[in-house]
Amino acid sequence: MTTGRTPQQDGDLRHEQQPERAAGIPAVLSSTEVVLRRAGPRGLRELARVNQFDGFDCPSCAWADPDGDRSFAEFCENGAKAVADAADRHRADPAFFAAHTVDDLLAHSDRWLNDAGRLTTPMLRRAGADHLTPVTWEHTEQLVAEHLGATTADRAVFYTSGRASNEAAFLYQLWARSLGTNNLPDCSNMCHESSGTALSPTIGIGKGTVTLRDLEVADVIVVLGQNPGTNAPRMLSALQACVEGGGTIVAVNPMNEVGLSRFVNPQDFTSPTRAGRALVGGGTPLAQEHLQVRIGGDLALLTGVQKALVEAGHVDKAFVADRTSGFEQLRDHLAAQSWEPLEAASGIGRDRMQWLAELIGSTRRVVWCWAMGLTQHEHAVGTIRQLANLALLRGAIGVEGGGLCPVRGHSNVQGDRTVGVWDRPSDALLDGMETGVGGGWTAPREPGHDVVASIEAAARGEVDVLVALGGNLLQASPDTDATTAALGSVHLAVHITTKLNRGHLLTGETALLLPCLSRTEADDTEHGRQFVTVESSMGVVSRSTGRSRPASGDLRSEPAIVARLAAASLGPSTPVAWRDLAADLDRVRDLIEASIDGFDDYNARVRQNGGFALPNNARDGDFSALPGGRAVLTTYPLPQAAPPTEQDTLTLMTVRSHDQFNTTVYGEDDRYRGVHGDRRVVFLSAADAVARGLADGQRVDVTSHAPDGQRTIHGLRVVLHDLPTGDCAAYFPEANPLVPLSSTAIDSNTPTSKSVPVTISPA
Ligand SMILES: Nc1nc2c(c(=O)[nH]1)N[C@H]1C(S)=C(S)[C@@H](COP(=O)(O)OP(=O)(O)OC[C@H]3O[C@@H](n4cnc5c(=O)[nH]c(N)nc54)[C@H](O)[C@@H]3O)O[C@H]1N2
Ligand SMILES: Nc1nc2c(c(=O)[nH]1)N[C@H]1C(S)=C(S)[C@@H](COP(=O)(O)OP(=O)(O)OC[C@H]3O[C@@H](n4cnc5c(=O)[nH]c(N)nc54)[C@H](O)[C@@H]3O)O[C@H]1N2
Ligand SMILES: [Mo]
């Protein structure tokens, strides 16, 4: 069977001691090496433009930019690698595709496919053909229009990855909705969906409430289920500022992630005194406390901390009485909990929970940060609501130095949702859009498919056309074998993309690869140089201008591709002047302003350096849209502990390495975890290895267990690591074949990629 699994290749695994500090000179060297190898000297020039006011937004993560002075190098190692990847000087051109059959391409590693370089020309993979062949843009538009014309809108799916700009994403969802569907799954469904679902009904907004300054002046920052050293390195500067101001950082994580323990800020090397301190002192110690929670144990931990907080009398009574509802129920629920099950489920002692309650009980300046370690679990939504409880019980929301901070992944994933990429849109969003578009345009009101529902629909043969605005739906999704089979049956797949990935070769009987400009490249139209806009994790909208020469003369901007496909497939039945819009993105922003709250004076305000902040009711302490005008405290029962199984089951989390951006693998190393040369590994505690008679480096088979069957990956190598007994880890996306499609978080439907029951046996 053809599968989207990464081919097995024997890497040369070296397992070394974990380093003691993050970033510093090794980070500078590692990024420079990748930049020069992929992009050449031009890459270094691009780096000078990252996150500058007149430059482009870093295509890596969504961490916010400083308001005021921007240092010369507002980027991190991973940003540098992402820029190099986009500015790649290699080309996957028609000659490359003529030289490689589809089967030949599939036999290569993900990294090799990515390293083929930038796409230069629209390419067609005809059903059953050996090779991809070049096609004209006109032909691609015709083909898409034909396929969409031959089916109904509910059998078309429009996926978005979070790198798309506000302008591209807005036009894209308008196209899908103009056809008549809300089938708008996006990477957020696999990412922070649980956070939005948890927060909207409790604090009235599905976003974080803090600014960058809040982190810098906080007394306490608690970082749960997040690995900032690897995944949001610029956040380390904010943590450093917090520590230097006397703040305490607490890490809640099954792994002791290096990026959270000690940080050498590469930007310190621009100042001689700071550089001296960094070199001699070995950097700034960050997380002073590490709570080594068991995988999935955060609900029990946060319940225990609330219990301790209430028992110690640290509740802000006035705030709770005036601004929240549900306190009595919560108090009774907490009183009814006994400590033993909370300790057993979290792996954290009662004394440590009481310690954390004391720490946060003496100040309102507490920021709660979290990411995938909380969102990708069955009980994620309930867990995140307990975290919101903790902020509300202390009145520590919408205050200087305090609040909630879900750290977003993709650089514009938050903006894409704001401008309408949403499978379950609110009526308010659709009403606004109908007014904004005008001309009697109506939006479909039936909820659409999210990621998991789209794959399930495809498996039932109910998806004819799949369009993807970036991303790698096939490899980012769970259950790689089942997902490959499902997505393979779609009649036509349309990928708007900068580079080749495995998903492009397996999704759809027929597939189109439509090559687009990257963030770094100039978009010059008859209206002059265009810029796009993006929203950071902290709700700040700013502009991004590419300046370099496009990788090929035949590329189009993402908004232009979307607008042309929309024009071709909708015909005259639309009040939207698609072609004009894409050439003048100010007009798209006018349409966003007319459709969506908070974008008043969009074109003027986004031209100011640093952009503008979107409205945030919770940041302003305004809960008037919630029942009774109050924020909602909620209870969530501790799930029954799973009965012991005969097999010796472990809980597996799938995590990122230091040398990848999601499914794009830059290298085989994970410097921060001491792993080099091979990503096909499984991290195991020494106790669990001994119990199974396994040694470091040994090859094992890992099998996951779900009600609908077993899934196995063969030949992973054991890496001994400091983990709680009963927990293990492997890399995303290589381990995705183990994650069952049917296992998702309650209410948010996010795949449970961080809690997969597995057994491990010698290969
Ligand atoms: N370099 C780089 N940067 C990236 C990305 C990338 O792939 N590479 N991806 C981007 C994207 S889209 C996202 S969403 C973010 C992801 O950023 P993260 O969420 O930091 O990414 P993960 O590697 O998935 O790490 C999850 C962390 O949660 C911990 N964890 C797992 N299970 C649990 C649990 O049950 N409880 C607790 N408390 N912790 C747990 C893991 O040990 C790990 O440290 O990063 C973004 N930035
Ligand atoms: N097991 C497991 N699975 C997971 C996760 C996990 O932790 N564990 N994390 C989940 C999360 S948090 C996320 S966000 C998803 C990520 O899911 P996606 O966003 O779908 O995946 P990416 O790997 O970020 O997509 C990379 C591809 O995007 C395309 N691309 C790159 N740059 C551009 C550009 O500028 N424009 C366009 N149009 N295309 C571009 C290239 O083809 C590249 O190969 O994965 C999820 N899957
Ligand atoms: Mo993500």
Side-chain angles (χ1 to χ4, degrees):
M1 190 192 73
T2 312
T3 164
R5 288 183 183 221
T6 304
Q8 202 165 338
Q9 279 168 341
D10 284 335
D12 176 20
L13 175 69
R14 278 180 300 120
H15 180 202
E16 297 169 354
Q17 196 83 51
Q18 247 184 306
E20 283 171 358
R21 56 186 74 102
I25 290 173
V28 175
L29 293 179
S30 175
S31 33
T32 310
E33 187 270 323
V34 174
V35 171
L36 288 174
R37 178 160 52 83
R38 298 309 310 163
R42 168 177 151 177
L44 293 177
R45 204 163 58 233
E46 292 293 355
L47 286 184
R49 296 179 184 149
V50 183
N51 294 340
Q52 301 301 315
F53 291 131
D54 60 351
F56 58 89
D57 180 64
C58 179
S60 189
C61 77
W63 190 250
D65 300 314
D67 292 337
D69 291 347
R70 302 259 164 118
S71 64
F72 167 67
E74 264 321 319
F75 67 92
C76 69
E77 174 180 354
N78 298 301
K81 289 177 182 172
V83 170
D85 196 59
D88 200 329
R89 61 196 155 97
H90 305 83
R91 297 285 177 267
D93 54 13
F96 167 83
F97 287 104
H100 298 281
T101 63
V102 173
D103 287 342
D104 177 21
L105 295 172
L106 283 170
H108 283 95
S109 70
D110 296 341
R111 181 176 168 190
W112 187 91
L113 293 176
N114 182 61
D115 284 357
R118 291 287 301 278
L119 295 164
T120 60
T121 309
M123 300 296 298
L124 171 66
R125 183 168 56 73
R126 266 181 233 282
D130 300 343
H131 286 85
L132 281 83
T133 44
V135 278
T136 63
W137 282 104
E138 291 65 35
H139 189 77
T140 69
E141 288 161 25
Q142 228 173 6
L143 205 60
V144 174
E146 269 168 31
H147 276 263
L148 284 171
T151 187
T152 50
D154 59 326
R155 297 176 63 91
V157 164
F158 296 81
Y159 175 71
T160 309
S161 169
R163 197 170 277 180
S165 64
N166 283 354
E167 290 75 7
F170 181 82
L171 292 178
Y172 187 66
Q173 59 82 37
L174 194 58
W175 173 31
R177 294 200 164 106
S178 299
L179 287 163
T181 182
N182 285 309
N183 286 343
L184 285 158
D186 71 336
C187 66
S188 193
N189 298 147
M190 301 181 268
C191 185
H192 266 294
E193 195 70 55
S194 302
S195 305
T197 306
L199 297 181
S200 294
T202 54
I203 61 164
I205 185 168
K207 300 182 183 181
T209 68
V210 298
T211 63
L212 205 49
R213 180 174 157 74
D214 289 326
L215 279 107
E216 291 166 2
V217 302
D219 290 328
V220 182
I221 301 178
V222 189
V223 183
L224 305 98
Q226 194 209 344
N227 181 14
T230 285
N231 296 313
R234 285 192 306 135
M235 177 175 166
L236 298 184
S237 307
L239 299 182
Q240 182 186 33
C242 173
V243 169
E244 287 176 356
T248 303
I249 290 164
V250 181
V252 179
N253 202 308
M255 283 188 169
N256 187 3
E257 304 284 25
V258 168
L260 272 166
S261 41
R262 194 170 261 279
F263 172 49
V264 180
N265 193 337
Q267 288 166 16
D268 283 353
F269 292 99
T270 51
S271 134
T273 39
R274 292 182 75 94
R277 239 187 304 151
L279 287 171
V280 178
T284 312
L286 293 180
Q288 291 92 332
E289 299 290 341
H290 174 214
L291 299 181
Q292 193 168 28
V293 69
R294 298 182 55 187
I295 294 177
D298 305 85
L299 174 62
L301 170 68
L302 295 169
T303 304
V305 177
Q306 289 179 81
K307 182 178 169 67
L309 193 83
V310 173
E311 285 180 358
H314 289 318
V315 172
D316 181 335
K317 294 208 183 75
F319 183 90
V320 165
D322 297 346
R323 317 299 320 279
T324 70
S325 63
F327 179 66
E328 287 72 24
Q329 259 164 302
L330 174 62
R331 187 193 52 205
D332 296 349
H333 166 75
L334 295 171
Q337 306 294 314
S338 37
W339 287 107
E340 294 71 30
L342 297 176
E343 291 180 320
S346 65
I348 306 291
R350 166 186 179 168
D351 55 326
R352 300 291 280 159
M353 299 190 206
Q354 287 166 331
W355 166 82
L356 185 53
E358 285 302 319
L359 185 71
I360 63 160
S362 58
T363 172
R364 284 174 146 200
R365 293 176 175 247
V366 180
V367 175
W368 301 89
C369 297
W370 74 94
M372 299 305 102
L374 289 202
T375 63
Q376 299 174 336
H377 292 283
E378 186 182 359
H379 302 287
V381 173
T383 302
I384 294 163
R385 286 193 182 146
Q386 300 312 294
L387 210 130
N389 279 359
L390 275 167
L392 291 168
L393 286 173
R394 293 286 312 134
I397 200 162
V399 297
E400 182 171 68
L404 299 172
C405 181
V407 180
R408 304 280 160 177
H410 266 298
S411 54
N412 196 39
V413 62
Q414 187 159 312
D416 292 344
R417 180 59 62 86
T418 304
V419 302
V421 172
W422 198 3
D423 52 284
R424 290 184 288 175
S426 65
D427 280 333
L429 179 84
L430 298 180
D431 292 347
M433 208 129 3
E434 288 179 351
T435 313
V437 173
W441 183 84
T442 56
R445 299 276 162 166
E446 275 285 291
H449 298 319
D450 63 10
V451 164
V452 169
S454 296
I455 297 167
E456 289 170 342
R460 293 192 302 270
E462 293 171 7
V463 179
D464 295 328
V465 180
L466 170 74
V467 187
L469 181 53
N472 185 350
L473 179 60
L474 185 141
Q475 286 185 289
S477 296
D479 227 336
T480 313
D481 297 343
T483 297
T484 311
L487 297 184
S489 72
V490 166
H491 296 324
L492 176 70
V494 184
H495 302 280
I496 300 168
T497 180
T498 48
K499 293 189 118 182
L500 177 66
N501 69 43
R502 189 171 305 279
H504 302 150
L505 301 169
L506 292 166
T507 304
E509 291 161 355
T510 301
L512 283 172
L513 269 56
L514 307 184
C516 62
L517 296 175
S518 76
R519 283 260 176 96
T520 53
E521 290 166 338
D523 178 14
D524 292 318
T525 74
E526 65 265 32
H527 294 274
R529 170 94 19 118
Q530 302 296 305
F531 65 85
V532 294
T533 61
V534 293
E535 177 183 339
S536 75
S537 211
M538 290 166 185
V540 174
V541 180
S542 61
R543 59 182 199 272
S544 172
T545 319
R547 298 193 184 273
S548 61
R549 190 152 51 87
S552 123
D554 209 11
L555 304 185
R556 285 182 177 174
S557 72
E558 290 174 325
I561 295 173
V562 171
R564 301 275 193 126
L565 293 177
S569 56
L570 292 166
S573 73
T574 164
V576 179
W578 293 100
R579 280 164 200 272
D580 299 343
L581 281 174
D584 184 0
L585 296 181
D586 275 352
R587 298 291 78 76
V588 180
R589 286 183 284 272
D590 286 341
L591 205 49
I592 295 176
E593 178 178 337
S595 305
I596 295 166
D597 282 345
F599 286 92
D600 310 74
D601 237 348
Y602 193 178
N603 276 309
R605 285 199 295 160
V606 86
R607 282 182 162 81
Q608 295 159 7
N609 285 346
F612 63 95
L614 286 170
N616 187 309
N617 65 285
R619 186 180 291 164
D620 301 338
D622 169 13
F623 303 118
S624 56
L626 290 164
R630 291 153 182 271
V632 184
L633 293 164
T634 57
T635 58
Y636 197 87
L638 217 57
Q640 293 280 321
T645 50
E646 289 147 51
Q647 308 140 333
D648 224 346
T649 311
L650 298 166
T651 305
L652 173 93
M653 55 181 178
T654 54
V655 297
R656 292 158 168 78
S657 84
H658 193 55
D659 231 356
Q660 72 182 92
F661 192 88
N662 297 336
T663 67
T664 304
V665 175
Y666 304 132
E668 317 300 315
D669 301 339
D670 191 356
R671 203 171 71 234
Y672 288 172
R673 297 195 183 103
V675 176
H676 298 269
D678 199 351
R679 292 173 46 88
R680 291 178 41 89
V681 298
V682 56
F683 295 91
L684 210 56
S685 73
D688 281 322
V690 169
R692 288 164 185 73
L694 301 172
D696 195 54
Q698 185 172 344
R699 280 195 195 282
V700 291
D701 295 337
V702 180
T703 301
S704 68
H705 304 267
D708 66 352
Q710 297 189 348
R711 296 150 177 86
T712 298
I713 297 186
H714 298 283
L716 297 185
R717 307 270 293 268
V718 170
V719 169
L720 296 183
H721 200 81
D722 179 10
L723 274 163
T725 314
D727 290 349
C728 62
Y731 289 122
F732 152 55
E734 287 83 349
N736 285 39
L738 295 173
V739 186
L741 192 61
S742 55
S743 173
T744 58
I746 296 167
D747 289 339
S748 68
N749 212 26
T750 294
T752 56
S753 314
K754 295 286 189 275
S755 45
V756 183
V758 297
T759 48
I760 300 185
S761 52

